[in-house]
Amino acid sequence: MNAKAKRRNVAENGDASEDLVLATSISNGEDLGPIVRLAFEMGRPESLLQQLKTVMKKKEIEIEELCKTHYEEFILAVDELRGVLVDAEELKGELASDNFKLQEVGTALLAKVEELIEAYSIKRNVTEAIRTSKNCVQVLELCSKFNDHIAKGQFYPALKTVDLIEKNYLQNIPVLTLKLAIERRIPVIKMHIEKKMSSQVNEWLVHVRSSAKSIGQTAIGHTASSRQRDEEMLERQRKAEEQDLSGYGDFVCSLDVEEIEEDCVLKFDLTPIYRVYHIHICLGVPQQFRDYYYNNRMLQLNSDLQGSSSQPFVESYQSYFAQIAGHFIVEDRVLRTAGGLLLADQLETMWDSAVAKMVSVLNGQFSHMDSATHLLLVKDYVALLGSTLRQYGYEVGPLFEALDNSRSKEQLVNILGNDTYEQMDTDYESNVLSFHLQTSDIMPAFPYVAPFSAMVPDVCRTVRSFIKSSVDYLSYGAQANSYETVRKYLDKLLIDVLNEALLSTIENGNIGVSQAMQIAADISFLERACDFFTRHAAQLFGIPTRAAERPQRSLTAKVVLRTSRDEAYLALLNFVNSKLNEFMALADNINWTVEEMPQGGNEYINEVVIYLDTVLSTAQQILPFDVQYKVGIGAFEHISNTIVSAFLSDSVKRFNVNAVMGINNDLKMLETFADERFHSTGLSAVYTEESFRGCLVEARQLINLLLSSQPENFMNPVIRQKNYNTLDYKKVTTICEKFKESADGIFGSLSNRNTKQNSRKKSMDMLKKRLKDFN
């Protein structure tokens, strides 16, 4: 019993604690969800329900006790509430009475307020109508003003009026029909203005093109007058210097662009083009007009550059060039004053196109012009054209080059094409001294045979004439560095025309050895003449000779011609070597397995020696010492290489000692000839380091090795350095593999290892083995 009582007390205590927790949670307003979920998870929902009922009973008891405690106060509060209710009923009645009275009074006032609101609405509508009418009247007045401007041809004010309507009034037009009508008309109006402007531009383009010739003639006339004044001034200066009245001074044409434009400005007015360009800016399409203007002016220029086919050039050249000059005088003004209508790059493109076409026309006309008078007249007028346009900043150098090069280029090409490249009997003073071509101050014996061909003095005369004409063209025109310009033109003529013609002659392969020698000699004299050309130009400009002879004043053409001379030397060596190859076809001309030992050299060697004697004799007459030496060295080195290459040739499968003996005889003959020519020409006194004979050393060492009784000594470094230092291991290996005994048995066969071997055979086999090991 005690145990049961204890368990019941424990259970009751546990239930009491759970009821306390549940009551506390309900009092605190906490969420009972977790407690309910836990009860269901533990399978005890009845227990939870019982606890809730217990808590409810406790709360009811608490409420009942509370009501008992405050019962009297509650009765008093109810009595007071009843009194308030009575008062509220009385107040409600009073409010209903007052509201009735207010409704009676407010009905009349409400009618008045409605009338006032309607009046205000009418006033607002009238005010808006007046404002709208004013806006419409203003827009219509602007439209009328626009129509007046259009009728009077005042397109800029008309366009400004349209812009004003579009920006300030269009969005505020209350009448939709009027607004839509104006919106539709604005693009049409702008297009109409643009078309009218285009029409005016076209009229101006036609007018300015028709005036271009007159503008150009006026400007060129000013240049001619200025040149005449400067020439007269220079003449007076020369006379004064002769009388020691004044010192030397530089006088150049000081033609002023503004002076030209004073007469030209009345003949072309740019105001229409300024106005149209500004209108296009207002229309928002300035680039469109720039392109239109540039393209049309280019079309006009191209048409002018075609010239007239109905008149001969000698009759129409002044009009032709005056038209072009006028065109570019106008374009220069447009560039400077039209505010970006024409860009500098566009004008430069125009000018480059015009220059290219004029140069082409001049070259074509000059090539068919037989009259010297006509040629000079055209050149003089083109020179005036160039001097005029140079005042406006145009680069006229190509024009002057065309004037200078046209005749000179043709003459130089003809001179080189007609020359025989042979030494000539000539007048020493007119063809040598006059161009400073002498190699010594000692007067030679007569008749004098020049070391150059007729081409050299003819070229010097042509170039001297070219310099004179260039100086005449550039002696006026406000160019302070005319001397440097002439030097530039001179360099261009010598490099682009003369040097190119010389190289073409050298490279076409239609000349022989003697002609190649003569061309090389001629180039040396032309290189020397370059100093004469610079001194001559300086003399014509009055520049002291010592200033013209400074190293930095030397022509670039001098270096270029020196390079071309080396090209001529190389071509000469190629000609000689090519001819030697024809004679020395050793693989075909030699029996490499001959049965008998030859008593002398092979047949080809006589032709080789005769040819070398001819070449070196001709070189001795024409070429300077250093070139003679180069020709000889090159020829003998080539012979030596040919001999070695013959042993290495795939067509030579085997050779015997008899063939080697024959080539040894050939080599001895060449060595004897080489020594004789080296001493007879006097080269031995100048070139002591290497002789002609020394160029045959590789072939000589190879023959000596093949004929040696102890060829294995090749592998001895000391002996090899002393006797075989030019031979290559791989070449020697290949050649030794081809070497075999002759049929009569001086050497045994290299391939037959079962036959009796003699000492030389053993030495050769030993060499071949050691070479294989080395490789």
CSV table of all heavy atoms in Angstrom, one decimal, residues 56-88:
chain,number,residue,atom,x,y,z
A,56,MET,N,-8.3,25.2,-17.5
A,56,MET,CA,-9.5,26.0,-17.7
A,56,MET,C,-10.3,26.1,-16.4
A,56,MET,O,-10.8,27.2,-16.1
A,56,MET,CB,-10.3,25.3,-18.8
A,56,MET,CG,-11.6,26.0,-19.2
A,56,MET,SD,-12.5,25.2,-20.4
A,56,MET,CE,-13.1,23.8,-19.5
A,57,LYS,N,-10.3,25.0,-15.6
A,57,LYS,CA,-11.1,25.1,-14.4
A,57,LYS,C,-10.4,26.1,-13.4
A,57,LYS,O,-11.1,26.9,-12.8
A,57,LYS,CB,-11.1,23.7,-13.7
A,57,LYS,CG,-12.1,22.8,-14.5
A,57,LYS,CD,-12.1,21.4,-13.8
A,57,LYS,CE,-13.0,20.5,-14.5
A,57,LYS,NZ,-13.1,19.1,-13.9
A,58,LYS,N,-9.1,26.1,-13.4
A,58,LYS,CA,-8.4,27.0,-12.5
A,58,LYS,C,-8.6,28.4,-13.0
A,58,LYS,O,-8.8,29.3,-12.1
A,58,LYS,CB,-6.9,26.7,-12.6
A,58,LYS,CG,-6.5,25.4,-11.9
A,58,LYS,CD,-5.0,25.1,-12.0
A,58,LYS,CE,-4.6,23.8,-11.3
A,58,LYS,NZ,-3.2,23.5,-11.4
A,59,LYS,N,-8.6,28.7,-14.3
A,59,LYS,CA,-8.9,30.0,-14.7
A,59,LYS,C,-10.3,30.5,-14.4
A,59,LYS,O,-10.5,31.6,-14.0
A,59,LYS,CB,-8.6,30.1,-16.3
A,59,LYS,CG,-7.2,29.9,-16.6
A,59,LYS,CD,-6.3,31.1,-16.1
A,59,LYS,CE,-4.8,30.9,-16.5
A,59,LYS,NZ,-4.0,32.0,-16.0
A,60,GLU,N,-11.2,29.6,-14.5
A,60,GLU,CA,-12.6,30.0,-14.2
A,60,GLU,C,-12.7,30.3,-12.7
A,60,GLU,O,-13.4,31.3,-12.3
A,60,GLU,CB,-13.6,28.8,-14.5
A,60,GLU,CG,-13.8,28.5,-16.0
A,60,GLU,CD,-14.6,27.3,-16.3
A,60,GLU,OE1,-14.9,26.6,-15.3
A,60,GLU,OE2,-15.0,27.1,-17.5
A,61,ILE,N,-12.0,29.6,-11.9
A,61,ILE,CA,-12.1,29.9,-10.4
A,61,ILE,C,-11.5,31.2,-10.2
A,61,ILE,O,-12.0,32.0,-9.4
A,61,ILE,CB,-11.3,28.8,-9.7
A,61,ILE,CG1,-12.1,27.4,-9.8
A,61,ILE,CG2,-11.1,29.2,-8.2
A,61,ILE,CD1,-11.3,26.2,-9.2
A,62,GLU,N,-10.4,31.5,-10.9
A,62,GLU,CA,-9.7,32.8,-10.7
A,62,GLU,C,-10.6,33.9,-11.2
A,62,GLU,O,-10.7,35.0,-10.5
A,62,GLU,CB,-8.4,32.9,-11.5
A,62,GLU,CG,-7.3,32.0,-11.0
A,62,GLU,CD,-6.1,32.0,-11.8
A,62,GLU,OE1,-6.0,32.7,-12.9
A,62,GLU,OE2,-5.1,31.2,-11.5
A,63,ILE,N,-11.3,33.8,-12.3
A,63,ILE,CA,-12.3,34.8,-12.8
A,63,ILE,C,-13.4,35.0,-11.8
A,63,ILE,O,-13.8,36.1,-11.5
A,63,ILE,CB,-12.8,34.4,-14.2
A,63,ILE,CG1,-11.7,34.4,-15.2
A,63,ILE,CG2,-13.9,35.3,-14.6
A,63,ILE,CD1,-12.0,33.9,-16.6
A,64,GLU,N,-13.9,33.9,-11.3
A,64,GLU,CA,-15.0,34.0,-10.3
A,64,GLU,C,-14.6,34.7,-9.1
A,64,GLU,O,-15.3,35.6,-8.6
A,64,GLU,CB,-15.5,32.6,-10.0
A,64,GLU,CG,-16.8,32.6,-9.1
A,64,GLU,CD,-17.3,31.2,-8.8
A,64,GLU,OE1,-16.7,30.2,-9.5
A,64,GLU,OE2,-18.2,31.0,-8.0
A,65,GLU,N,-13.4,34.5,-8.6
A,65,GLU,CA,-12.9,35.1,-7.4
A,65,GLU,C,-12.7,36.6,-7.7
A,65,GLU,O,-13.0,37.5,-6.8
A,65,GLU,CB,-11.6,34.5,-6.9
A,65,GLU,CG,-11.8,33.1,-6.4
A,65,GLU,CD,-10.5,32.4,-6.0
A,65,GLU,OE1,-9.4,33.1,-6.3
A,65,GLU,OE2,-10.5,31.3,-5.4
A,66,LEU,N,-12.2,36.9,-8.9
A,66,LEU,CA,-12.0,38.3,-9.3
A,66,LEU,C,-13.3,39.1,-9.4
A,66,LEU,O,-13.4,40.2,-8.9
A,66,LEU,CB,-11.2,38.4,-10.6
A,66,LEU,CG,-10.8,39.7,-11.1
A,66,LEU,CD1,-9.8,40.4,-10.2
A,66,LEU,CD2,-10.2,39.6,-12.5
A,67,CYS,N,-14.3,38.4,-9.9
A,67,CYS,CA,-15.6,39.1,-10.0
A,67,CYS,C,-16.2,39.4,-8.6
A,67,CYS,O,-16.8,40.4,-8.4
A,67,CYS,CB,-16.6,38.3,-10.9
A,67,CYS,SG,-16.2,38.2,-12.6
A,68,LYS,N,-16.0,38.4,-7.7
A,68,LYS,CA,-16.5,38.6,-6.4
A,68,LYS,C,-15.8,39.8,-5.7
A,68,LYS,O,-16.4,40.5,-5.0
A,68,LYS,CB,-16.3,37.3,-5.6
A,68,LYS,CG,-17.3,36.2,-6.0
A,68,LYS,CD,-17.0,35.0,-5.1
A,68,LYS,CE,-18.0,33.8,-5.5
A,68,LYS,NZ,-17.7,32.6,-4.7
A,69,THR,N,-14.6,39.9,-6.0
A,69,THR,CA,-13.8,41.0,-5.4
A,69,THR,C,-14.2,42.3,-5.9
A,69,THR,O,-14.3,43.3,-5.1
A,69,THR,CB,-12.3,40.8,-5.7
A,69,THR,OG1,-11.9,39.4,-5.2
A,69,THR,CG2,-11.4,41.8,-5.0
A,70,HIS,N,-14.5,42.5,-7.2
A,70,HIS,CA,-14.8,43.8,-7.7
A,70,HIS,C,-16.3,44.0,-8.1
A,70,HIS,O,-16.6,44.7,-9.0
A,70,HIS,CB,-14.0,44.0,-9.0
A,70,HIS,CG,-12.5,44.0,-8.7
A,70,HIS,ND1,-11.8,45.0,-8.2
A,70,HIS,CD2,-11.6,43.0,-9.0
A,70,HIS,CE1,-10.5,44.7,-8.0
A,70,HIS,NE2,-10.4,43.4,-8.5
A,71,TYR,N,-17.2,43.3,-7.5
A,71,TYR,CA,-18.6,43.3,-7.8
A,71,TYR,C,-19.2,44.7,-7.6
A,71,TYR,O,-19.9,45.2,-8.5
A,71,TYR,CB,-19.3,42.3,-6.9
A,71,TYR,CG,-20.8,42.3,-7.1
A,71,TYR,CD1,-21.4,41.7,-8.3
A,71,TYR,CD2,-21.7,42.9,-6.2
A,71,TYR,CE1,-22.8,41.7,-8.5
A,71,TYR,CE2,-23.1,42.9,-6.4
A,71,TYR,CZ,-23.6,42.3,-7.5
A,71,TYR,OH,-25.0,42.3,-7.7
A,72,GLU,N,-19.0,45.4,-6.6
A,72,GLU,CA,-19.6,46.7,-6.3
A,72,GLU,C,-19.1,47.7,-7.3
A,72,GLU,O,-19.9,48.5,-7.8
A,72,GLU,CB,-19.2,47.1,-4.9
A,72,GLU,CG,-19.8,46.2,-3.8
A,72,GLU,CD,-19.5,46.6,-2.4
A,72,GLU,OE1,-18.7,47.6,-2.3
A,72,GLU,OE2,-20.0,46.0,-1.5
A,73,GLU,N,-17.8,47.7,-7.6
A,73,GLU,CA,-17.3,48.7,-8.6
A,73,GLU,C,-18.0,48.4,-10.0
A,73,GLU,O,-18.2,49.4,-10.7
A,73,GLU,CB,-15.8,48.6,-8.7
A,73,GLU,CG,-15.1,49.2,-7.5
A,73,GLU,CD,-14.0,48.3,-7.1
A,73,GLU,OE1,-13.8,47.3,-7.7
A,73,GLU,OE2,-13.3,48.7,-6.2
A,74,PHE,N,-18.2,47.2,-10.3
A,74,PHE,CA,-18.8,46.8,-11.6
A,74,PHE,C,-20.2,47.4,-11.7
A,74,PHE,O,-20.6,48.0,-12.7
A,74,PHE,CB,-18.8,45.3,-11.8
A,74,PHE,CG,-19.4,44.8,-13.1
A,74,PHE,CD1,-18.7,45.0,-14.3
A,74,PHE,CD2,-20.7,44.3,-13.1
A,74,PHE,CE1,-19.3,44.6,-15.4
A,74,PHE,CE2,-21.2,43.9,-14.2
A,74,PHE,CZ,-20.6,44.0,-15.4
A,75,ILE,N,-21.0,47.3,-10.6
A,75,ILE,CA,-22.3,47.8,-10.6
A,75,ILE,C,-22.3,49.3,-10.7
A,75,ILE,O,-23.1,49.9,-11.5
A,75,ILE,CB,-23.0,47.4,-9.2
A,75,ILE,CG1,-23.2,45.9,-9.1
A,75,ILE,CG2,-24.4,48.1,-9.1
A,75,ILE,CD1,-24.0,45.3,-10.2
A,76,LEU,N,-21.4,50.0,-10.1
A,76,LEU,CA,-21.3,51.5,-10.2
A,76,LEU,C,-21.0,51.9,-11.6
A,76,LEU,O,-21.5,52.8,-12.2
A,76,LEU,CB,-20.2,52.0,-9.3
A,76,LEU,CG,-20.6,51.9,-7.8
A,76,LEU,CD1,-19.4,52.4,-6.9
A,76,LEU,CD2,-21.8,52.7,-7.4
A,77,ALA,N,-20.1,51.1,-12.3
A,77,ALA,CA,-19.7,51.4,-13.7
A,77,ALA,C,-20.9,51.3,-14.6
A,77,ALA,O,-21.1,52.1,-15.5
A,77,ALA,CB,-18.6,50.5,-14.1
A,78,VAL,N,-21.7,50.2,-14.4
A,78,VAL,CA,-22.9,50.0,-15.2
A,78,VAL,C,-23.9,51.2,-15.0
A,78,VAL,O,-24.5,51.7,-16.0
A,78,VAL,CB,-23.6,48.7,-14.9
A,78,VAL,CG1,-24.9,48.5,-15.6
A,78,VAL,CG2,-22.6,47.5,-15.3
A,79,ASP,N,-24.1,51.7,-13.8
A,79,ASP,CA,-25.0,52.8,-13.6
A,79,ASP,C,-24.5,54.0,-14.3
A,79,ASP,O,-25.3,54.8,-14.9
A,79,ASP,CB,-25.1,53.0,-12.1
A,79,ASP,CG,-25.8,51.9,-11.4
A,79,ASP,OD1,-26.6,51.2,-12.1
A,79,ASP,OD2,-25.7,51.8,-10.2
A,80,GLU,N,-23.2,54.3,-14.3
A,80,GLU,CA,-22.6,55.4,-14.9
A,80,GLU,C,-22.8,55.3,-16.5
A,80,GLU,O,-23.1,56.3,-17.1
A,80,GLU,CB,-21.1,55.6,-14.6
A,80,GLU,CG,-20.9,56.0,-13.2
A,80,GLU,CD,-19.4,56.1,-12.9
A,80,GLU,OE1,-18.6,55.8,-13.8
A,80,GLU,OE2,-19.0,56.4,-11.8
A,81,LEU,N,-22.7,54.2,-17.0
A,81,LEU,CA,-22.8,54.0,-18.4
A,81,LEU,C,-24.3,54.2,-18.8
A,81,LEU,O,-24.5,54.8,-19.9
A,81,LEU,CB,-22.4,52.5,-18.8
A,81,LEU,CG,-22.5,52.2,-20.3
A,81,LEU,CD1,-21.5,53.0,-21.0
A,81,LEU,CD2,-22.1,50.7,-20.4
A,82,ARG,N,-25.2,53.9,-18.0
A,82,ARG,CA,-26.6,54.2,-18.3
A,82,ARG,C,-26.9,55.7,-18.4
A,82,ARG,O,-27.6,56.2,-19.2
A,82,ARG,CB,-27.6,53.5,-17.3
A,82,ARG,CG,-27.6,52.0,-17.5
A,82,ARG,CD,-28.5,51.4,-16.4
A,82,ARG,NE,-28.6,49.9,-16.6
A,82,ARG,CZ,-29.3,49.1,-15.7
A,82,ARG,NH1,-29.9,49.7,-14.7
A,82,ARG,NH2,-29.4,47.8,-16.0
A,83,GLY,N,-26.2,56.4,-17.5
A,83,GLY,CA,-26.4,57.9,-17.5
A,83,GLY,C,-25.8,58.5,-18.7
A,83,GLY,O,-26.4,59.4,-19.3
A,84,VAL,N,-24.7,58.0,-19.1
A,84,VAL,CA,-24.0,58.5,-20.4
A,84,VAL,C,-24.9,58.2,-21.6
A,84,VAL,O,-25.1,59.1,-22.5
A,84,VAL,CB,-22.6,57.8,-20.6
A,84,VAL,CG1,-22.1,58.2,-21.9
A,84,VAL,CG2,-21.7,58.3,-19.5
A,85,LEU,N,-25.6,57.1,-21.6
A,85,LEU,CA,-26.5,56.8,-22.7
A,85,LEU,C,-27.6,57.8,-22.8
A,85,LEU,O,-28.0,58.2,-23.9
A,85,LEU,CB,-27.0,55.3,-22.5
A,85,LEU,CG,-28.0,54.8,-23.6
A,85,LEU,CD1,-27.2,54.8,-24.9
A,85,LEU,CD2,-28.5,53.4,-23.2
A,86,VAL,N,-28.2,58.2,-21.7
A,86,VAL,CA,-29.2,59.2,-21.7
A,86,VAL,C,-28.7,60.5,-22.3
A,86,VAL,O,-29.4,61.1,-23.1
A,86,VAL,CB,-29.8,59.4,-20.3
A,86,VAL,CG1,-30.8,60.5,-20.2
A,86,VAL,CG2,-30.5,58.1,-19.8
A,87,ASP,N,-27.6,60.9,-21.8
A,87,ASP,CA,-27.0,62.2,-22.3
A,87,ASP,C,-26.7,62.1,-23.9
A,87,ASP,O,-26.9,63.1,-24.6
A,87,ASP,CB,-25.6,62.5,-21.6
A,87,ASP,CG,-25.9,62.8,-20.1
A,87,ASP,OD1,-27.0,63.2,-19.8
A,87,ASP,OD2,-24.9,62.6,-19.4
A,88,ALA,N,-26.3,60.9,-24.3
A,88,ALA,CA,-26.0,60.8,-25.7
A,88,ALA,C,-27.3,60.9,-26.5
A,88,ALA,O,-27.3,61.5,-27.6
A,88,ALA,CB,-25.4,59.4,-26.0
